[in-house]
Amino acid sequence: QSALTQPRSVSGSPGQSVTISCTGTSSDVGNYNYVSWYQQHPGKAPKLMIYDVSKRPSGVPDRFSGSKSDNTASLTISGLQAEDEADYYCCSYTGTYKFVFGGGTKLTVL
Amino acid sequence: EVQLVQSGAEVKRPGESLRISCKGSGYSFTNYWISWVRQMPGKGLEWMGRIDPSDSYTSYSPSFQGHVTISADKSISTAYLQWSSLVASDTAMYYCARRGGTDYFYFDDWGQGTLVTVSS
């Protein structure tokens, strides 16, 4: 099972929007609406930001949104804030009780 | 409050065995899978495998199958990740993570991580 493909880095200025892509295959992202996104600050455990492609857990700002088209999922962060600077990982269910993560994207807020 | 509390950092020699733990509290331990996730220094997250504590059924990523063993003791609400013979490339932070619930496929709570260092 190969890791999902994410850009290594993205950046944006405060107030702007950024989108992080996550490309898989028809066996994972394309086959299940079970893509989740995690935010990880340095030295911290990951935090769930989006699940089931586009749902937000309680407490996650509505600036965070998710979508999917075919084999590619996307996380969009609008109204960038300094505290959004972190690493972001996508994750997809692959069937038979297994999962795969993306390689991670470093978001820099300029 | 849901909590996953992991055991402390470990320093081991190559060839040694190791078991790290993840204790769940604040919820019904047998109702939620526990997954283990590796993060090598400066690298990304890798899903290693998972266990259903209700029946100890496990599944592993092909990348980790045969190299680690995941187990659980539901009587003490604890999941384990075990190596029989460590190698230097096992040096990493290891997280346990709770599945969101039956029919859910995401990880809603995470442990604080256990740093494993393997060095001669």
Side-chain angles (χ1 to χ4, degrees):
Chain A
Q1 184 72 52
S2 299
L4 307 176
T5 300
Q6 297 182 231
R8 280 198 166 238
S9 64
V10 297
S11 63
S13 299
Q16 289 187 331
S17 294
V18 294
T19 296
I20 300 171
S21 62
C22 169
T23 301
T25 70
S26 57
S27 296
D28 39 62
V29 175
N31 198 36
Y32 301 97
N33 287 323
Y34 298 135
V35 176
S36 50
W37 290 89
Y38 302 86
Q39 176 192 66
Q40 187 181 35
H41 286 110
K44 300 293 187 181
K47 174 187 175 184
L48 177 68
M49 304 302 284
I50 295 288
Y51 68 97
D52 293 356
V53 175
S54 61
K55 298 177 182 177
R56 272 189 321 275
S58 61
V60 173
D62 60 8
R63 303 185 294 104
F64 291 83
S65 61
S67 62
K68 190 187 87 166
S69 176
D70 297 326
N71 297 338
T72 298
S74 299
L75 173 71
T76 297
I77 309 170
S78 59
L80 269 179
Q81 298 183 4
E83 59 262 35
D84 298 334
E85 185 162 295
D87 294 325
Y88 291 84
Y89 295 90
C90 61
C91 181
S92 176
Y93 181 61
T94 66
T96 58
Y97 311 120
K98 299 180 182 180
F99 297 83
V100 64
F101 280 97
T105 298
K106 181 177 179 59
L107 169 62
T108 301
V109 180
L110 302 170
Chain B
E1 178 197 7
V2 172
Q3 279 196 309
L4 296 174
V5 178
Q6 298 185 228
S7 49
E10 302 274 0
V11 179
K12 292 290 189 178
R13 304 259 189 227
E16 291 186 329
S17 62
L18 174 65
R19 188 177 76 168
I20 62 175
S21 65
C22 169
K23 182 174 177 61
S25 63
Y27 71 99
S28 178
F29 186 71
T30 54
N31 286 352
Y32 297 81
W33 297 352
I34 292 289
S35 281
W36 286 95
V37 177
R38 183 176 78 174
Q39 187 167 38
M40 299 176 75
K43 301 298 184 182
L45 305 175
E46 300 173 271
W47 184 81
M48 301 175 71
R50 65 101 208 175
I51 188 165
D52 182 340
S54 68
D55 59 11
S56 289
Y57 184 87
T58 55
S59 49
Y60 295 89
S61 162
S63 300
F64 295 93
Q65 180 89 47
H67 188 58
V68 297
T69 300
I70 297 172
S71 60
D73 184 341
K74 60 186 179 183
S75 69
I76 55 172
S77 301
T78 300
Y80 301 98
L81 178 64
Q82 182 174 329
W83 295 260
S84 59
S85 182
L86 288 159
V87 297
S89 58
D90 291 322
T91 295
M93 181 71 82
Y94 293 88
Y95 293 100
C96 62
R98 190 188 80 153
R99 178 191 181 186
T102 304
D103 296 329
Y104 293 113
F105 298 92
Y106 57 85
F107 311 114
D108 62 351
D109 281 279
W110 294 68
Q112 83 276 18
T114 296
L115 181 62
V116 174
T117 302
V118 183
S119 175
S120 55

